[in-house]
Amino acid sequence: MSDEYVLVCVAWPYANGPLHLGHVAGCYLPPDIQFRFERALGNRVLMVSGSDEHGTPITVTAEQQGISPQAVVDTFHAINTKALHDLGCMWSSNVDSRGVEYGGALFNRTSDPDHKALVQTNFQALEQAGLFERKTMEQYFEVDPSGGGRFLPDRYVEGTCPACDESGARGDQCDACGATYEAVELKSPISKMNPDAKVEIRETEHLFYRLDLFQEALEQHAADRHPYWKSNVRAMTKQWLDMGLRPRAVTRDLDWGISVPLEGETWNGKCVYVWFEAVQGYFTCANIWAERFASEHPDGTDAWKRWWTMDEEGRSPRHLYFLGKDNIPFHTIIWPAIILGLNHAKNGRTADEPVVLPGPGDYVLETNVPAMEYLMLAGGQFSKSRKHAVWLPSFLERYDPDTLRYYLTMNMPENHDTDFNWPDFVEKVNAELIAAYGNFVHRVLTLGDRLPREAGKSPFEPYASDETLSVHQRRVEEMLEEVTGSLKAHRFKEALRGLMNVAQYGNQILQSAAPWKHLKEPQDGHEESFATLGFCWRIARFLSITTQPFLPMSAQRLWQALGQAGQVEHVLWEESVAWETPFTWSDAPPTPLFDRLDLEEILATEEGLVEHDPSEDTSAVHGVKGGKKSGGKNMKGEAPEGIEYVDFDTFMKVNLRVGKIIKVEDHPNADKLYVVRLDDGTENGRTICAGLKAYYAPSEMEGKLVVFVENLAPRPLRGVTSEGMMLAADDGDGNVRLITVDGDVSTGSTVR
RNA sequence: AGCGAGGUGGGGUAGUCUGGAUAUCCCGUCGGGCUCAUAACCCGGAGAUCGAUGGUUCAAAUCCAUCCCUCGCUACCA
């Protein structure tokens, strides 16, 4: 039996929205499988993660909803914690059932005061070791007339382009002319969040982490990990290293976060940048776990060190990080650089001394980073974007979590993006999970139920041994070895497929043994046939133990149906092939492990939900810690439920008119846009940019009478000014058609 | 347009880094069997010039070059 120390690190979900199935497939299901598997091997496993709760996007959501940032993160921390629990993830067992020396799990949060304190301690240590440098920058500052104000992140500033004088240019790039510039070069800047406020440029001081000092050590580390890393991890890391590492800002002008723990006026109102802080959660969470749950551990509150430091003999705990692809550089470059920096500081070295890889007593770097690609929710040409807006909490309200765990494992984006869709979900669950595995188990139980048995005993007892079984035993042992190998290499899809093959093997030997014939009327060879059936019971037990990491709920149901005592998640992996284990039996009548799914019913339900789903932003939000996209996507916040009314006057402000499409050309500088010349009834006509490239050929559009908005403010779109907007219908299924006029009417006619 | 990923029988995939013989597995399909089991199970067949072209090599799905196409992110949008 193995008893390594294994730290399972799970990317910290950003507490600015609920988790969706993409997150589950990418970051949350794989580590739970790994955690359960490592425990079953006998290893000492600690699993750490939590809500990432700081940063600008959360303050924006709070501001929009008129609540405090703390209220925002409290809400989503609660929702996500519950959803992960309902999915069967083992976060609720803070202390391992075998005893605290075997580890446990903690789903913490970055607003935890202990996290803050530890981050501040680390920050000071790095600062004292000289691993930060100080720079003065210019940034926009929104002045509050009643005194004070705040610095604005680039993306919350808008202004006039210094190159082409177009208005509406963003902080770092102009859409109209494509120029890029420093944000402070914008003319007449305004704050997006607060357009009326006065905005000025102010100097601000910040600290930068000297990533450049770690270049060599990280290159060495990457070379060392090369054989184990997946290709996406290697590629992404190489790209960063090849560009050359540069100092990176670790402080921000923001008040929602962990305040900079340094003396001096300069640092008032400044926070540790989230990327630098949340990632330390892997470390702080282990500390906090020991503090709160490990009092029984021989090492007490130092218990965490078992999972974090190399021992005197040079043995390291194994560190596995589970995350989505957008987070790779954070975990192969930035976080290792911070760990190396902490070692450097701890060992009393300074910035002038070379950085070295961890030695005995030091914190260790990652063993592997099995990063996933994305599960697409809105991808693919046939995808129904609305229907793919599958949020984890609402999914779990309606379906068996194991069906989701099965499908997402089989469809896991291990090597490239994959797609979630309902027909595929239903088919895989019905045809593979239920038909092969569920049905096999049910056959064994119902057949066994028809054999005579003494009360409280197993019907297979008379058939316990038969020389024909050794072939089957060896075959199943071989298959187990393959599955174990797959799981050790984090190949979850392959591992679960291997288990389904064991179920298939069971079906095969059952088929050739044909015990049903002997049940009707015992014939020659009935003992061998029933012995094979008995072995199928053992295969079912094997499957209960080995599917447990993947399908914990149904594994436990099966465990009970087999008459086995206790929790299958406490049973060791190698127990699955303990062929001498006494037979047991449950006197409860056998019931199927799963219910079949009905596609039409599901589509009808999901369709119904679409109507009430307020989030128009259904594209995949892979908003996990570190991903720069999370903020942008969620800036709109979660729209309130129901419909927002506009009054009649507001509606009448929109002038709709009829125009005729004269000419359609490709936009010179945009993928999705046409430049459309419209006869709008005036002499000059007008030009409209329309994002119809995916839906119409130019020839299809030319000559059509369409409805357009006459008084929409003109706006440059990637270099061409669009004067208005043509109306089109969108069914949300990727089908977009222009609104045309029934019969002839002169151009310029009003539409009411 | 910038960045990233990918094109393998009807669909989905493994194999590609580390070249090697009949290219893997699942679903579907066709034929047969079974009838214990949730329209389930078992056996067998058909079906792929591995996106295109050129190159390196005794040997290319795999290495190199060029091209085509798709997808995601960013930008943008009906």
Side-chain angles (χ1 to χ4, degrees), chain A residues 29 43 71 157 189 205 209 221 353 362 448 499 536 581 670 691:
Chain A
L29 180 55
N43 288 328
V157 182
E205 292 215 50
Y209 191 54
H221 175 64
E353 296 172 77
D362 286 345
L499 293 176
C536 286
T581 301

Side-chain angles (χ1 to χ4, degrees), chain A residues 21 375 388 390 395-396 398-411 419-434 594-599 602-603 606:
Chain A
L21 299 193
L375 177 79
H388 289 181
V390 185
F395 185 100
L396 292 172
R398 290 189 293 286
Y399 307 103
D400 180 347
D402 278 1
T403 61
L404 180 63
R405 293 177 67 118
Y406 178 81
Y407 177 69
L408 291 184
T409 303
M410 283 313 211
N411 208 12
D419 204 53
F420 177 91
N421 69 73
W422 290 107
D424 195 41
F425 169 69
V426 171
E427 183 188 291
K428 286 224 161 63
V429 168
N430 281 347
E432 298 176 22
L433 179 65
I434 299 182
F594 306 99
D595 293 326
R596 278 181 68 83
L597 300 174
D598 186 281
L599 179 59
I602 287 177
L603 287 181
E606 299 302 324

Side-chain angles (χ1 to χ4, degrees), chain A residues 371-389:
Chain A
M372 296 292 164
E373 300 285 319
Y374 287 151
L375 177 79
M376 290 304 159
L377 298 178
Q381 62 265 53
F382 298 110
S383 69
K384 327 275 192 258
S385 62
R386 302 293 146 131
K387 285 176 199 152
H388 289 181

